[in-house]
Amino acid sequence: SGQIRALRQQNAALTLTALRLPLPRPPIPFPLPHVLPAAHVFDCHHTTALPGVQVANPGSSPDGPIKRAYVESENVAKFYWDNFKRDSIDGNHMTLVSSVHYGVKYNNAFWNGAQMTYGDGDGQIFLDFTLGEDVIAHELTHGVTQHSLGLAYSGEAGGLNESMSDVFGSMFRQWEKKQVVTKADWLIGADIMGPLSKQKGFTCLRDMASPKSPHAMAPQPDHYYPGIGNLDPHYSSGPPNLAFYKAAQAIGGHSWEKAGKVWYTALTTAPPMPNMTMSKFAARTRKLSTSLFPNDPTVHNAVDAAWTAVGL
Ligand code: ASN
Ligand code: ZN
């Protein structure tokens, strides 16, 4: 019939149009999911040879440190991606390597420039170091610092380096618990304190909210002074730790959303500056608090007052 002929002509016209015009690319309906970097775990079997023997399927290991090193490394990678769009330690999808059961009753954990290493603790002073989510994020953040500002591990930069690890270590622990700043304890190492340490009244290694606290195993100065850079970095980190706590507290909400963004940007958006001073870092966060949150003067005021309070 005429109707069918008309439809056929219309159809032919559409086909011709389609042949002549390049089809527009259909828009991707949603962004592709981010793939977390791989996490590898090695077992030192109580030796000090690194990295040790690689563990297959660490995520389903019955061994606590092996499983935790895997799961929490992936969680730290997720923390850095979800909140700061950083792809792994180096910002370039680097595989996360951890070695556990390092040495015999080894009372520490460390980043060696390429990987994390965790001791089992002696069970008296310290428990297994993978029990601290903040400890795991602390060590991984040493890697982030190495691949960004490249802060030295001595002088004022050393204190800043340690403080970055405590700041993002605590922030990560808060993020895992979905804690607002007023509910967080701001302690570093609270989950690895052994019975002997607790018996002595130590609740943590360091207390960001109260660096001089006698309940911290390693009390720190809570105010800047010229010459603070001569201290071990774990002590000179006191004033910058307290500054972050004060800024986050005054801003309120989740530490990783505003204060964390300012600190992260200050750490990662400049060429390496291994000898950065504390006042230079403070100045960077003061500036970034305005440029990142131009419509939210609370952020700048909080950051400014926090540094001023610790003498910077
Ligand atoms: N656990 C310590 C730290 O990451 C090891 C060290 O003294 N560097 O700071
Ligand atoms: Zn450290």
Side-chain angles (χ1 to χ4, degrees):
S1 74
Q3 226 179 350
I4 286 175
R5 202 176 312 125
L7 275 170
R8 280 214 181 103
Q9 275 167 5
Q10 216 180 341
N11 211 7
L14 278 171
T15 308
L16 278 176
T17 310
L19 285 173
R20 261 183 288 126
L21 297 172
L23 283 170
R25 261 175 153 285
I28 297 168
F30 43 82
L32 291 170
H34 171 67
V35 178
L36 291 175
H40 294 173
V41 180
F42 295 73
D43 189 338
C44 293
H45 292 284
H46 308 293
T47 72
T48 52
L50 287 175
V53 184
Q54 190 167 0
V55 179
N57 306 316
S60 39
S61 172
D63 180 296
I66 290 173
K67 181 166 180 174
R68 280 191 291 275
Y70 175 80
V71 171
E72 296 301 331
S73 294
E74 289 287 273
N75 285 347
V76 172
K78 185 168 164 43
F79 163 79
Y80 272 111
W81 176 261
D82 285 2
N83 299 304
F84 310 119
K85 288 292 170 281
R86 182 182 191 82
D87 188 0
S88 192
I89 292 311
D90 62 349
N92 198 22
H93 210 59
M94 172 183 167
T95 296
L96 306 170
V97 176
S98 307
S99 294
V100 300
H101 299 307
Y102 177 83
V104 178
K105 297 186 176 188
Y106 186 71
N107 269 337
N108 213 340
F110 59 89
W111 169 259
N112 77 347
Q115 66 158 96
M116 282 85 62
T117 310
Y118 302 97
D120 295 324
D122 63 4
Q124 292 298 315
I125 300 170
F126 290 119
L127 307 177
D128 151 35
F129 279 69
T130 63
L131 287 168
E133 302 106 314
D134 52 353
V135 173
I136 293 180
H138 175 111
E139 301 312 337
L140 279 160
T141 299
H142 277 308
V144 173
T145 299
Q146 175 186 329
H147 288 278
S148 47
L149 275 188
L151 297 166
Y153 206 62
S154 60
E156 290 192 17
L160 285 172
N161 186 327
E162 260 308 301
S163 179
M164 294 306 124
S165 281
D166 280 353
V167 162
F168 289 95
S170 176
M171 207 189 299
F172 170 68
R173 187 157 163 265
Q174 294 171 34
W175 176 79
E176 283 211 315
K177 297 175 198 265
K178 300 292 166 255
Q179 278 176 333
V180 292
V181 291
T182 47
K183 290 276 185 284
D185 62 20
W186 297 91
L187 303 178
I188 301 294
D191 308 313
I192 60 161
M193 304 308 286
L196 187 64
S197 301
K198 285 182 181 166
Q199 196 186 307
K200 290 185 175 172
F202 299 138
T203 58
C204 60
L205 284 165
R206 295 178 287 279
D207 182 343
M208 293 180 69
S210 179
K212 289 173 120 158
S213 169
H215 299 294
M217 196 182 268
Q220 306 166 289
D222 62 0
H223 204 268
Y224 175 82
Y225 60 90
I228 196 171
N230 295 323
L231 298 178
D232 177 281
H234 299 92
Y235 294 93
S236 49
S237 54
N241 276 2
L242 182 58
F244 182 79
Y245 162 80
K246 282 179 179 290
Q249 207 67 22
I251 294 165
H254 294 131
S255 60
W256 54 90
E257 285 170 2
K258 290 177 180 175
K261 183 131 194 260
V262 172
W263 256 246
Y264 176 77
T265 311
L267 175 63
T268 57
T269 57
M273 298 185 199
N275 298 313
M276 180 172 267
T277 61
M278 292 191 180
S279 75
K280 185 94 193 290
F281 186 81
R284 271 177 70 69
T285 63
R286 281 181 165 109
K287 227 171 134 177
L288 285 164
S289 59
T290 300
S291 55
L292 292 170
F293 298 97
N295 303 315
D296 194 349
T298 319
V299 180
H300 175 78
N301 295 339
V303 169
D304 182 39
W307 286 114
T308 302
V310 304
L312 281 157

